[in-house]
Amino acid sequence: MTGESQLQVRPKNGASSISRSKVRSGLVARGLGDAAILAGRSSPKPADPLSEMRRLAEEGDADAQYNLGCMYSMGEGVAQDYVEAARWFRNAAEQGNVDSQVKFGLGYAKGQGVPHDDAEAVRWFRKAADEGDAEAQFSLGVMYDGGQGVTQDYAEAGRWYRRAADRGHARAQFNLGYRYEEGEGVAQDYVEAARWYRKAADQGDARAQDRLGGMFYEGEG
């Protein structure tokens, strides 16, 4: 494939990659203030959310480590620093935080914050993929598609794309449709290609919409 399956660093749910754990850290900070009031201090100084998140991260909280990694990766509230982002993603990933495993794998795939190393990227993607993470499954499919860090294997790529596609991952649905359209790793099947293109197209994937339009024009599938 040329171009369809390039890895992309994708914030989760748009601008909210500092997700539930940021809220959690904010609630912790609020709780500290409430405790101070109950202890008799009438006007406690509000805890700085970033400082509180850093404190939790340094104490080993994997969610806080992930959120701090996201902040450094995107330059939100701090100067963008991929090396520092990778440090926090690694800390959380080693504790089994799936989102951090994906981010850390992407760091190796992109050479951001760590040296470019496709084999390491595959290793971390596989950890998260085995836990059912759709982004990791898609990314692992991409690695098999391009023979990056593994022997190129279209059938194995298709297997991982299907697992991610079944979980609603639009780019995996597009790539799986492409596999069926081209007959790479699977038996050529225009009906299946159109089915997966439609799923991705319904989620707004422009490439899938284009391919599906072409199939209607040619009467394929």
Side-chain angles (χ1 to χ4, degrees), residues 130-171:
D130 286 342
E131 293 296 320
D133 185 271
E135 183 68 16
Q137 292 166 346
F138 164 75
S139 297
L140 196 52
V142 169
M143 303 302 274
Y144 276 106
D145 220 340
Q148 298 168 270
V150 290
T151 301
Q152 188 175 51
D153 187 332
Y154 290 143
E156 189 69 2
R159 186 171 77 86
W160 287 108
Y161 287 151
R162 179 177 291 277
R163 291 179 66 175
D166 284 340
R167 299 179 70 87
H169 193 289
R171 285 176 293 162

Side-chain angles (χ1 to χ4, degrees), residues 12-60:
K12 293 183 178 295
N13 298 322
S16 63
S17 58
I18 304 185
S19 54
R20 295 187 298 271
S21 299
K22 182 176 181 182
V23 174
R24 177 174 176 272
S25 297
L27 292 174
V28 170
R30 185 189 303 171
L32 292 173
D34 292 344
I37 293 173
L38 292 174
R41 293 197 290 271
S42 58
S43 300
K45 183 179 179 180
D48 173 57
L50 176 58
S51 297
E52 182 61 20
M53 186 180 298
R54 188 182 299 279
R55 182 185 70 78
L56 289 169
E58 289 172 348
E59 290 179 356

Side-chain angles (χ1 to χ4, degrees), residues 181-197:
E181 185 180 5
E182 298 298 315
E184 294 178 341
V186 294
Q188 189 175 53
D189 187 332
Y190 290 140
V191 172
E192 274 294 285
R195 183 169 78 88
W196 288 107
Y197 284 152

